[in-house]
Amino acid sequence: AQTVTQSQPEMSVQEAETVTLSCTYDTSESNYYLFWYKQPPSRQMILVIRQEAYKQQNATENRFSVNFQKAAKSFSLKISDSQLGDTAMYFCAFIPTMNYGGSQGNLIFGKGTKLSVKP
Amino acid sequence: EAQVTQNPRYLITVTGKKLTVTCSQNMNHEYMSWYRQDPGLGLRQIYYSMNVEVTDKGDVPEGYKVSRKEKRNFPLILESPSPNQTSLYFCASTPSSGLRNEQFFGPGTRLTVL
């Protein structure tokens, strides 16, 4: 079975500091996409960053970057210069691309990490 | 404005009373899906649809039905709701040609079954 594990249920960070959220996944597929989603108190799901498994270069989006270690099946999210607006639940998610056009087009989520940014 | 809409946003009902949560997208996306979110469990897929008249089960389909008669709409039907279906529900859509494209999520529907 394919799984996504986020080992940190809750984390906190001081404003302007850097924090890293961890995510590991388990799959036998070689082609897939990985995502980090943010869910603020409004409950809206917002895509933060995506990574294509065949790309070795780590994705970056402004203050957000990932450390993608394919062999270790690890996909951590680094948030630099943390802001109060970063307070949210963060979900790591995975979808195998080979299965997308087949019988299972399933985006698999981790259980989430609740991040609090303190002033 | 490109968006996924869900109705109702909040619903309190009683066990056994059939209900439908509607989902509509205006982006001409082929792929649509339903998720439920429960504390400590993350989001789990209920059903998905690759295109009109094509639907398939996700990880937790028991107690739910869906239909895809039109490309833009993907309603979630609970024929006989039970308290264990109390949850936060999300509808999402994406172009089938673009896994690299993000899944667009609706605003969520908070369902309580008494």
Side-chain angles (χ1 to χ4, degrees), chain A:
Chain A
Q2 294 160 334
T3 58
V4 175
T5 302
Q6 294 179 246
S7 60
Q8 306 147 316
E10 293 192 40
M11 295 187 73
S12 64
V13 63
Q14 291 297 130
E15 195 174 7
E17 294 188 347
T18 295
V19 63
T20 298
L21 282 58
S22 62
C23 171
T24 58
Y25 57 94
D26 187 23
T27 183
S28 58
E29 302 290 345
S30 57
N31 297 315
Y32 47 86
Y33 284 86
L34 292 156
F35 306 87
W36 278 98
Y37 280 89
K38 169 185 177 181
Q39 187 180 43
S42 66
R43 305 183 315 193
Q44 184 66 42
M45 294 292 288
I46 302 165
L47 179 67
V48 174
I49 198 165
R50 71 173 68 85
Q51 174 78 42
E52 298 157 17
Y54 66 87
K55 287 188 176 179
Q56 292 188 340
Q57 186 174 4
N58 289 326
T60 62
E61 288 286 344
N62 300 314
R63 298 182 295 108
F64 299 88
S65 62
V66 298
N67 183 4
F68 174 48
Q69 303 288 329
K70 190 172 183 179
K73 295 179 182 174
S74 171
F75 183 61
S76 61
L77 174 70
K78 186 171 82 170
I79 306 174
S80 305
D81 185 25
S82 297
Q83 300 175 0
L84 296 177
D86 295 333
T87 292
M89 183 74 83
Y90 287 82
F91 291 99
C92 179
F94 156 96
I95 189 164
T97 56
M98 287 184 67
N99 287 345
Y100 187 84
S103 60
Q104 278 283 337
N106 195 355
L107 187 62
I108 302 163
F109 284 86
K111 295 181 179 181
T113 296
K114 185 177 181 180
L115 177 67
S116 299
V117 180
K118 301 185 184 305

Side-chain angles (χ1 to χ4, degrees), chain B residues 41-84:
Chain B
L41 295 178
L43 281 80
R44 295 175 293 167
Q45 193 179 54
I46 303 170
Y47 269 94
Y48 65 95
S49 171
M50 303 291 283
N51 214 325
V52 176
E53 301 294 356
V54 181
T55 63
D56 208 345
K57 297 177 181 178
D59 291 327
V60 288
E62 293 78 20
Y64 304 95
K65 287 175 59 178
V66 293
S67 69
R68 188 87 182 275
K69 295 184 172 58
E70 305 168 278
K71 198 172 188 180
R72 63 182 293 127
N73 296 323
F74 190 45
L76 179 69
I77 304 156
L78 285 71
E79 294 272 1
S80 182
S82 62
N84 64 12

